Amino acid sequence: MPDPSSGTRKWGMVIDLDRCNGCEACVVACRVENNVAVAGADECGKGRQAYWIRVERYWHGEFPNVRASFMPILCQQCQNAPCEPVCPVYASYHDRAEQVNAQIYNRCIGTRYCANNCPYYVRFFNWFDYWFDPVVPTINVAYTNPMRMGLNLDPRRNQLNPDVTVRSRGVMEKCTFCIQRIRRARLDVIKQGGFQSADGIEHVKVPDGAVQPACVQTCPTGALVFGDLSDPESAVSKLATSERRFRLLEELGTEPVVIYLKELRP
Amino acid sequence: MREEPVHISDAQINEDLTRSLRRPSLLFVLVILALLVVLGVGVILYVYMVLSGMGVAGINRPVQWGLFIASFVFWIGLSHSGTLISAILRLTQAEWRRPITRGAEAMTVFTVAMGALYPLIHLGRVWKFYYIIPIPDGRGLWPNFRSPLVWDFMAITTYLTGSLLYLYLPMVPDMAVLRDRSTGLRRQLYTLLSLGWRGTEQEWRHLHRTLGVFMVVILPVAVSVHSIVSWDFAMAIAPPTWHSTIFAPYFVAGAIYSGLALVVTIMWLLRWGFHLENYLRADQFNNLGKMLFMMSIIWFYFWFSDALTTWYGRVPAEFETLRQTILGPFLPFFVTMILCNFVIPFATLGFRRVRTTAVGFVVSLLINVGMYCERFLIVVPGLAHGRLPFNWRDYAPTYVEIGIIAATFAGFILLYLLFTRFFPAVAIWEIKEGQLLRSTRDVAGVKLPTITRTE
Ligand code: SF4
Ligand code: SF4
C-alpha cells in the first residue's frame, strides 16, 4: 500500500467576496461537521463564542445609503504560520503530509500564546467543558445548564460527528480544512487503486473536487472553492490567478493559502 | 536622620539584628493570620477555576492574556533588582550596601517564586504542565525550543535557583552565629544551615571567592530573564505594538526600576518594624533614592522612544493601539502610569528631603502602582484592539482573577515576614565587617586602618 501522505500538494481555498451574500450557512455547516461547541448566549456576550469560520460584516456609507460587505474568515492555513513556533509543546504544528496547519488537542496545555499570535483571530479556546458534565457537576456555576446536571441528558451529544475529536476544557481549537475529509478521500483513492507512480515514489492523487470542506459543500452561492493549489488544472488554482485576488494581511508575511477575490470599486 | 555610621559594639549588633527572631508581637501574629485568610481565599478560587475552566476569569477572545500575564511580568520585574543591586553594589564595593543586601536578595527569591506561579495559574490544562519540561521520553517528543515560553521556563528556573543560592551563601556565617545562641529545634535548623561554619580564615576566603563568582554570574542571568519575558511579547508578530526591538532593554529598565522601588519600600518597613535606625540610615535611602531618580528618567526615555516611533510611523494597526492606550478606554491606566512612573518621582526624588523621609516611602509605593499599570498596558491593548476591528473587545477581570492575584501578594508578604522571623534581615557579618574596615588602630602612636583590604 502506498504511503497515503506521499506526493506534493498544497490545499487552498478561494473565497469570492463578490459572491458571498452573508447567509452564514458555512458557519452552521462547519459547526455541525467539526463538533464546534455552542457556548450559549451569556458566553457569546463575553466574547467566548467559537466558530471556525465566521462572516465579518462591515458597513459602508452613511444611512440611508449604506451597503454591507461580508467577509468569511477561517484559518488562513498560513504556510509561514506565526501560531506554530510559539507553541511550547508542538500542539500547533505544520502537518507536512497535507501542508495544513494542524492542532493536536491532547498535546495542548492551554497557554493561548498561539491565539495571541494569530493575526486573523481564528483560534478558539475552550473556556469550559461545553459538551460533558464537569468533574464536579455543581462547581461549574458559570456554565449551568439543567440538562448537564447528573445524567448525561444533553441532546447535543447525539449530533457529534464521530470522525472529529470533541475538545475538553483548556485546549485550543481551530479550522483544519476538514482534515478528516481530506484523509478519507485519500484512503478512498487508495482503496480504488487510483494512485500513480512517478520517479519511483507512489503518489496518491485525489481528483479535483473529491474533497470539499463542510463550508464549501454548503455555500449556496458557490463563493467558496477548495482544492489543490499545486495542481495548475484545479478549479481553485485557476480562480487563484484572477486579477481580483488578494490575501488577508499579506504584509505580515504569513503566506496564507486562503485567497480572496474582490472587484475593486472606485 | 543619622547620616554617618556610628560605632556599635558587636554584642549590640547581634542584639539588634536578631531582634526580629524573638517572640513576635500580637500585631505580627494578626497580620500573618490576615494574610493566611487572603491566601486561602485565593487557593479556593484557583481550585474553582481549575475545576470549571478558565472561563471564570475575565479573559476572552481576543484578550487571551489578561491580568494574570500582566502580574507575571510585574512579579518577575520586581524580582529583578534584588540580586542585581546587591551584586552590583558588592562588585563596586559600595560600603553603604551592607545593610541592604540580605533584604534585597530575599525579596528577589520571593518575588520570583510568586512570578513563577503565574505561567501555571494561567494554563488551560495545568495538570499537563510537564509537557513543557524537556524530559527524554521513548517517543522522542521534546518541547518546542523555538517557543519563548520554553525559554521562559528555563530562564525562570535558572534564576530562581541562582538567586536562592545567592541568598543562602552569604547567610552561612550568620547561621553559625544563630546556631551558637539558640536552643532546641531552632538550633537544629541553624546547625543544618550553617554547614559546620567555624569562621576560619580559609572558610572566609572560600566564601568571598564563591560570592565573587556568583556576583558576576548572576548579573547576566538577571538581565536575560527579563529580556526573555519581554520576548514573550516581542517575538509575537500579531498583536500590534508587541513586535518591538526595544522591548528587551525596556523591560530590563522597567524591571530594575520597579525592583529598586520595592527595595526602598521594604527597607523603610524593616527600619520601622525592627527599629534598625542605626543601620538603615539616611545614607542608604539617599543613595537608593538617587538610583530611583535615575531609573525614572531611563524608564521614560525607553517608553518615549517606543511610543514616538509608533506614533510617528502611523502604521495603522499599531497607531490605533497606541491611540487606544493614550486616549481611549485605557486612559486612566495611562495617566496613572505616567504620573507614578515619571512625573512624581522625577519631580520629587531630586530632593534629599524627599529621599530620606517617609515621603520617599510613599513615592516608592507609587512607582510600583505605576509599574503595574505599565505591565497591564503592555499586555492588554495590543490584544484588545488588533488588526481586524470586527474582533475588537475590551477586557475586565473578574473576582476570580483579582482574588488569585491578591493571594500572590499576600503570599509574598507572608514569605517575607516569615523569613524575617527565622533569619536576620540584615547580614550580621557584613555589618561587622564594615565596622572593622572603618576602624583604626594605634600602632606606635600612628593611627592605621585595622585592615587594608579584605575583598
Ligand atoms: S490563520 Fe492563524 S491559526 Fe491559521 S495558520 Fe495562520 S496564524 Fe495559524
Ligand atoms: S455560505 Fe457562502 S454565501 Fe453564505 S456566508 Fe458563507 S461564504 Fe458567504
Side-chain angles (χ1 to χ4, degrees):
Chain A
M1 191 177 120
D3 177 5
S5 64
S6 63
T8 55
R9 64 192 68 90
K10 189 175 174 185
W11 299 109
M13 189 186 282
V14 163
I15 301 181
D16 192 338
L17 298 179
D18 295 325
R19 278 175 176 264
C20 173
N21 63 12
C23 71
E24 304 212 358
C26 47
V27 181
V28 178
C30 172
R31 186 176 294 284
V32 175
E33 168 73 16
N34 289 303
N35 300 340
V36 180
V38 178
D42 283 358
E43 286 296 295
C44 280
K46 292 181 194 157
R48 308 261 180 76
Q49 69 278 43
Y51 27 39
W52 288 5
I53 181 169
R54 66 170 177 269
V55 180
E56 295 196 349
R57 185 199 59 209
Y58 291 101
W59 297 108
H60 304 269
E62 290 295 320
F63 185 80
N65 300 319
V66 279
R67 196 167 48 80
S69 68
F70 302 101
M71 183 150 195
I73 293 186
L74 67 163
C75 167
Q76 310 284 308
Q77 301 292 348
C78 311
Q79 297 303 295
N80 180 17
C83 61
E84 287 164 10
V86 297
C87 174
V89 293
Y90 284 118
S92 168
Y93 83 113
H94 214 70
D95 185 300
R96 289 266 158 71
E98 302 300 343
Q99 286 299 315
V100 295
N101 169 274
Q103 176 78 6
I104 309 174
Y105 305 117
N106 49 15
R107 188 82 182 133
C108 174
I109 53 174
T111 65
R112 304 188 293 291
Y113 198 0
C114 56
N116 283 347
N117 207 18
C118 169
Y120 307 98
Y121 304 103
V122 291
R123 304 186 70 94
F124 302 91
F125 188 66
N126 283 277
W127 303 97
F128 295 106
D129 272 318
Y130 291 108
W131 297 97
F132 299 112
D133 294 308
V135 191
V136 186
T138 45
I139 204 110
N140 199 341
V141 291
Y143 190 71
T144 41
N145 175 346
M147 302 298 254
R148 305 173 78 253
M149 293 299 175
L151 291 167
N152 291 330
L153 291 175
D154 192 334
R156 291 176 301 169
R157 303 173 137 247
N158 299 332
Q159 77 169 49
L160 293 176
N161 178 357
D163 286 345
V164 178
T165 323
V166 175
R167 284 78 62 182
S168 76
R169 73 178 186 279
V171 306
M172 194 59 77
E173 61 180 60
K174 62 174 269 295
C175 163
T176 62
F177 263 178
C178 286
I179 196 163
Q180 68 279 11
R181 294 187 173 204
I182 298 177
R183 294 217 166 115
R184 173 164 294 187
R186 198 176 297 296
L187 290 173
D188 282 348
V189 172
I190 294 170
K191 224 160 40 192
Q192 291 150 15
F195 50 87
Q196 42 178 286
S197 184
D199 42 286
I201 308 164
E202 288 173 313
H203 293 271
V204 180
K205 174 121 180 67
V206 180
D208 192 31
V211 190
Q212 278 198 323
C215 53
V216 177
Q217 186 184 17
T218 311
C219 177
T221 64
L224 309 176
V225 180
F226 180 82
D228 188 349
L229 284 170
S230 71
D231 171 7
E233 295 307 313
S234 67
V236 73
S237 291
K238 287 185 178 142
L239 278 171
T241 53
S242 158
E243 74 262 24
R244 292 184 296 145
R245 70 168 269 154
F246 74 93
R247 292 188 294 179
L248 196 54
L249 301 179
E250 199 164 3
E251 71 275 14
L252 293 177
T254 52
E255 299 295 332
V257 292
V258 174
I259 291 149
Y260 289 88
L261 305 181
K262 176 82 183 155
E263 192 167 341
L264 287 177
R265 300 205 197 125
Chain B
M1 194 194 283
R2 192 189 292 280
E3 168 89 48
E4 283 310 306
V6 276
H7 188 85
I8 314 166
S9 71
D10 279 3
Q12 186 63 35
I13 292 179
N14 288 344
E15 157 73 19
D16 285 348
L17 299 185
T18 56
R19 193 176 294 134
S20 66
L21 274 56
R22 264 167 262 132
R23 183 166 272 287
S25 65
L26 183 63
L27 181 68
F28 191 92
V29 177
L30 287 179
V31 170
I32 295 274
L33 285 179
L35 291 172
L36 280 175
V37 171
V38 180
L39 195 63
V41 171
V43 171
I44 292 170
L45 287 173
Y46 175 64
V47 172
Y48 166 61
M49 187 173 78
V50 170
L51 290 182
S52 32
M54 291 303 289
V56 296
I59 35 184
N60 54 38
R61 192 182 63 90
V63 188
Q64 310 257 359
W65 286 359
L67 226 46
F68 283 149
I69 295 297
S71 309
F72 164 68
V73 183
F74 179 72
W75 280 117
I76 299 293
L78 285 181
S79 79
H80 210 82
S81 274
T83 40
L84 198 78
I85 189 179
S86 122
I88 288 179
L89 296 182
R90 277 213 180 106
L91 269 178
T92 53
Q93 300 179 347
E95 275 303 308
W96 58 274
R97 70 162 197 271
R98 294 184 180 277
I100 297 174
T101 47
R102 171 79 45 83
E105 288 153 14
M107 176 198 94
T108 290
V109 173
F110 301 139
T111 43
V112 185
M114 290 302 120
L117 290 177
Y118 279 97
L120 296 178
I121 291 174
H122 101 126
L123 272 196
R125 298 204 301 164
V126 68
W127 52 96
K128 298 283 183 209
F129 83 94
Y130 57 88
Y131 284 3
I132 209 173
I133 305 174
I135 308 168
D137 71 0
R139 294 169 299 167
L141 206 50
W142 292 93
N144 179 3
F145 291 107
R146 294 175 303 168
S147 169
L149 293 186
V150 174
W151 313 344
D152 242 358
F153 170 75
M154 294 176 184
I156 291 173
T157 36
T158 312
Y159 192 44
L160 186 57
T161 323
S163 51
L164 198 60
L165 284 175
Y166 188 61
L167 168 70
Y168 174 59
L169 270 181
M171 227 156 65
V172 172
D174 283 5
M175 291 300 95
V177 173
L178 293 174
R179 171 196 61 198
D180 299 343
R181 7 187 106 239
S182 53
T183 51
L185 262 183
R186 271 189 180 242
R187 191 183 166 92
Q188 282 178 20
L189 173 75
Y190 297 132
T191 311
L192 197 69
L193 289 176
S194 61
L195 302 176
W197 178 273
R198 281 167 303 142
T200 60
E201 176 162 3
Q202 198 184 12
E203 282 174 345
W204 280 111
R205 235 197 348 261
H206 283 190
L207 179 69
H208 280 301
R209 191 170 300 155
T210 323
L211 274 182
V213 174
F214 249 92
M215 283 184 282
V216 180
V217 171
I218 203 85
L219 285 177
V221 173
V223 171
S224 76
V225 169
H226 222 69
S227 303
I228 288 174
V229 168
S230 87
W231 292 336
D232 286 348
F233 303 96
M235 295 296 157
I237 59 150
T241 67
W242 278 20
H243 190 48
S244 168
T245 50
I246 207 174
F247 260 31
Y250 172 47
F251 271 51
V252 171
I256 296 175
Y257 188 32
S258 68
L260 262 180
L262 186 63
V263 170
V264 174
T265 312
I266 289 179
M267 289 308 144
W268 278 109
L269 292 175
L270 287 180
R271 178 186 152 100
W272 291 328
F274 299 127
H275 305 289
L276 299 177
E277 284 82 0
N278 282 335
Y279 303 87
L280 292 161
R281 298 175 316 271
D283 197 15
Q284 276 77 26
F285 292 107
N286 192 19
N287 284 329
L288 286 172
K290 282 181 197 163
M291 290 168 101
L292 268 186
F293 179 73
M294 183 187 73
M295 288 315 299
S296 81
I297 301 171
I298 294 180
W299 176 86
F300 184 75
Y301 168 63
F302 275 123
W303 177 83
F304 184 73
S305 313
D306 195 32
L308 182 70
T309 322
T310 309
W311 186 269
Y312 203 85
R314 294 281 155 133
V315 178
E318 307 211 331
F319 178 70
E320 180 58 26
T321 304
L322 185 63
R323 208 181 58 80
Q324 296 276 358
T325 310
I326 296 182
L327 304 165
F330 301 103
L331 177 75
F333 300 99
F334 173 72
V335 172
T336 317
M337 172 181 90
I338 291 295
L339 278 182
C340 296
N341 275 4
F342 181 64
V343 178
I344 297 176
F346 183 71
T348 58
L349 288 177
F351 300 100
R352 193 173 185 286
R353 287 269 301 278
V354 172
R355 294 196 295 269
T356 56
T357 55
V359 187
F361 170 73
V362 176
V363 173
S364 76
L365 276 179
L366 283 180
I367 290 173
N368 269 322
V369 172
M371 283 310 290
Y372 199 90
C373 292
E374 192 239 35
R375 300 332 193 176
F376 177 77
L377 289 179
I378 285 172
V379 180
V380 174
L383 294 173
H385 298 274
R387 287 172 209 274
L388 302 177
F390 185 81
N391 303 286
W392 283 3
R393 182 174 286 279
D394 286 327
Y395 158 78
T398 61
Y399 70 96
V400 179
E401 274 153 304
I402 292 172
I404 294 174
I405 289 166
T408 57
F409 278 87
F412 169 73
I413 303 174
L414 192 67
L415 283 176
Y416 208 98
L417 287 182
L418 290 180
F419 176 80
T420 61
R421 289 285 303 127
F422 288 97
F423 307 103
V426 172
I428 301 174
W429 68 267
E430 287 203 63
I431 297 287
K432 289 185 184 166
E433 186 189 64
Q435 287 220 67
L436 213 58
L437 276 175
R438 274 195 311 277
S439 63
T440 49
R441 297 271 157 102
D442 255 336
V443 180
V446 191
K447 269 197 182 259
L448 289 176
T450 314
I451 299 169
T452 42
R453 192 70 258 173
T454 57
E455 290 156 47

